[in-house]
Amino acid sequence: MVDSLKKPQFEEMRPGIKVPSQETILTPRFYTTDFEEMAKMDLSANEDELRAILEEFRTDYNRHHFVRDEEFNQSWDCIDGETRKLFVEFLERSCTAEFSGFLLYKELGRRLKDKNPLLAEIFTLMSRDEARHAGFLNKAMSDFDLSLDLGFLTKSRKYTFFKPKFIFYATYLSEKIGYWRYITIYRHLEKHPEDRIYPIFRFFENWCQDENRHGDFFDAIMKAQPQFLNDWKARLWCRFFLLSVFATMYLNDTQRADFYASIGLDAREYDKYVIEKTNENAGRVFPVILDVNRPEFYNRLETCVSNNEKLREIDSSNAPQLIKGLRKLPYYVSNGWELLKLYLINPIRVDHLEGTAR
Ligand SMILES: [Fe+2]
Ligand SMILES: [Fe+2]
């Protein structure tokens, strides 16, 4: 009894291999795209910058970074109970997100090889980075006696199809938000080493530079395709992607506030900082950014947070499916309404700054 409290039980597919957590609207997504359209893209408008980025990727600054040192070689049973559960979930989510990047970039590298060698090489080198990140996280999971079967994940997950333009909006944001997430944790633990309860966080500084470079690549490629950025449709879609990325993170992290507390962070403060920084970054390429400083922005997100709490409560009750469905309905409607109102908040136009140092 005491033991099961200390070591939360996870469902296993085989001994030591964790059943991947259920796919929901808030879990990391796997993508596929129109490879033909991607191959035909004309890069000439920003080719010099893309070539410079390729050189950076070739240099491979983090070639020797992802090596586990002796600090990992100890028992991690001291991280127990709920913290251990949240820790494993954090590692799994991060690993799945990194691995999803790996799969997409790897496939792009393979499919564009003959038709667009410049893009193909960049994607292949980015997939190298993501493979390292995912592998390092999966190895960390094994410190908690679990790991993910990434081959199984590749075959079993659903893939969302996005046209290249949407792939760029989504991956740009996920790379930049990834950068801010990692660096913010790193900087916090630098100041508070007593909160660094596991060595992986020490690796985040160089690690996040990979994500930053990946984000810069997507910035450069969008600038090579100005038609993806300079019309009213682009403004509407950029708003949509900004909101969905920010809302997803906020809903996920507030639900796991105890994880952030275990490393001395306040989940809400952390998310607000990451959102502010990512939003600011996005203003260098997107035509609009969100007005996240309005109190309304977080008030509405908070309503969604409490709706989701209610939804989880209903889910875990013993009521019949139909009753559960009926009880959940008003909360879904409320979430839809809040997200719509969030989407309708006037964004901040930044496209007039084109050509100036944004
Ligand atoms: Fe990564
Ligand atoms: Fe990345």
Side-chain angles (χ1 to χ4, degrees):
M1 179 70 199
V2 173
D3 249 24
S4 69
L5 259 184
K6 273 180 138 177
K7 277 201 179 178
Q9 291 299 307
F10 286 97
E11 240 189 296
E12 292 174 48
M13 309 189 337
R14 308 190 288 282
I17 306 296
K18 185 180 176 303
V19 173
S21 53
Q22 226 194 330
E23 250 182 283
T24 69
I25 194 162
L26 295 180
T27 48
R29 221 168 272 279
F30 284 34
Y31 296 106
T32 183
T33 188
D34 181 341
F35 297 100
E36 275 305 305
E37 189 192 327
M38 195 74 94
K40 280 194 218 125
M41 256 176 351
D42 174 14
L43 308 174
S44 51
N46 204 14
E47 195 171 327
D48 290 347
E49 194 183 344
L50 287 165
R51 293 214 174 269
I53 289 172
L54 171 59
E55 277 317 310
E56 291 228 311
F57 286 142
R58 281 180 178 157
T59 309
D60 195 2
Y61 299 100
N62 281 339
R63 181 189 306 251
H64 304 296
H65 182 61
F66 294 94
V67 181
R68 282 163 60 93
D69 49 24
E70 55 292 359
E71 204 190 333
F72 286 93
N73 297 335
Q74 50 177 293
S75 161
W76 295 101
D77 289 353
C78 52
I79 301 178
D80 57 8
E82 189 60 14
T83 312
R84 190 177 179 96
K85 181 170 163 278
L86 290 164
F87 227 84
V88 170
E89 278 177 15
F90 169 79
L91 294 172
E92 178 180 1
R93 286 187 64 81
S94 309
C95 179
T96 308
E98 297 280 11
F99 187 65
S100 135
F102 161 76
L103 284 179
L104 175 69
Y105 302 158
K106 176 94 188 157
E107 190 62 7
L108 279 160
R110 199 174 69 80
R111 300 270 201 121
L112 304 183
K113 204 163 181 232
D114 302 318
K115 297 169 194 154
N116 199 332
L118 170 60
L119 275 194
E121 189 177 354
I122 292 179
F123 278 121
T124 302
L125 293 176
M126 292 201 308
S127 79
R128 165 204 69 196
D129 297 341
E130 305 300 16
R132 281 178 191 150
H133 303 166
F136 204 69
L137 285 155
N138 208 11
K139 194 81 188 92
M141 280 182 74
S142 70
D143 288 336
F144 300 89
D145 310 321
L146 287 164
S147 59
L148 288 177
D149 179 340
L150 298 174
F152 173 77
L153 216 56
T154 311
K155 279 178 260 149
S156 64
R157 287 288 293 251
K158 281 199 288 293
Y159 288 75
T160 306
F161 175 87
F162 272 168
K163 300 278 283 173
K165 155 163 123 165
F166 301 127
I167 286 282
F168 294 151
Y169 298 154
T171 47
Y172 168 78
L173 283 174
S174 76
E175 296 290 358
K176 285 292 177 187
I177 210 166
Y179 166 75
W180 285 108
R181 287 174 64 79
Y182 286 138
I183 195 68
T184 306
I185 292 180
Y186 181 83
R187 297 262 180 257
H188 158 74
L189 295 176
E190 205 177 22
K191 271 187 246 143
H192 300 276
E194 70 282 6
D195 289 331
R196 196 170 59 72
I197 54 177
Y198 181 68
I200 201 164
F201 303 113
R202 253 193 307 116
F203 290 75
F204 279 9
E205 190 183 31
N206 293 27
W207 183 327
C208 75
Q209 294 308 332
D210 283 341
E211 313 304 4
N212 206 21
R213 281 187 284 270
H214 299 168
D216 288 343
F217 158 68
F218 288 111
D219 177 314
I221 197 160
M222 282 189 277
K223 284 183 179 144
Q225 309 294 309
Q227 76 280 10
F228 288 173
L229 298 169
N230 60 12
D231 60 7
W232 60 272
K233 280 181 282 183
R235 291 197 291 279
L236 292 179
W237 281 113
C238 286
R239 259 163 94 176
F240 172 80
F241 277 93
L242 283 161
L243 178 60
S244 48
V245 167
F246 294 162
T248 307
M249 178 177 77
Y250 197 80
L251 296 178
N252 266 314
D253 288 349
T254 45
Q255 188 189 328
R256 295 175 182 81
D258 289 347
F259 166 75
Y260 293 92
S262 75
I263 54 169
L265 279 168
D266 177 293
R268 285 177 167 78
E269 292 308 312
Y270 169 71
D271 272 37
K272 284 177 184 172
Y273 180 75
V274 169
I275 287 173
E276 184 195 319
K277 290 299 184 184
T278 309
N279 195 43
E280 238 171 65
N281 251 181
R284 293 190 203 152
V285 57
F286 284 2
V288 287
I289 57 175
L290 301 187
D291 191 356
V292 295
N293 290 323
R294 276 206 207 187
E296 184 190 353
F297 187 81
Y298 287 105
N299 290 343
R300 293 198 183 278
L301 282 177
E302 283 299 330
T303 309
C304 297
V305 170
S306 48
N307 285 341
N308 285 5
E309 257 163 48
K310 296 273 171 27
L311 286 167
R312 280 194 301 276
E313 242 168 61
I314 298 170
D315 251 338
S316 59
S317 73
N318 294 322
Q321 282 305 327
L322 182 70
I323 304 292
K324 278 189 189 179
L326 286 173
R327 285 179 57 206
K328 275 154 73 172
L329 195 61
Y331 298 107
Y332 282 131
V333 173
S334 166
N335 274 349
W337 174 251
E338 295 301 329
L339 290 168
L340 178 68
K341 294 292 276 182
L342 278 162
Y343 182 74
L344 294 175
I345 294 177
N346 261 344
I348 301 169
R349 285 282 291 261
V350 285
D351 47 354
H352 60 282
L353 301 175
E354 192 55 67
T356 60
R358 289 205 209 169

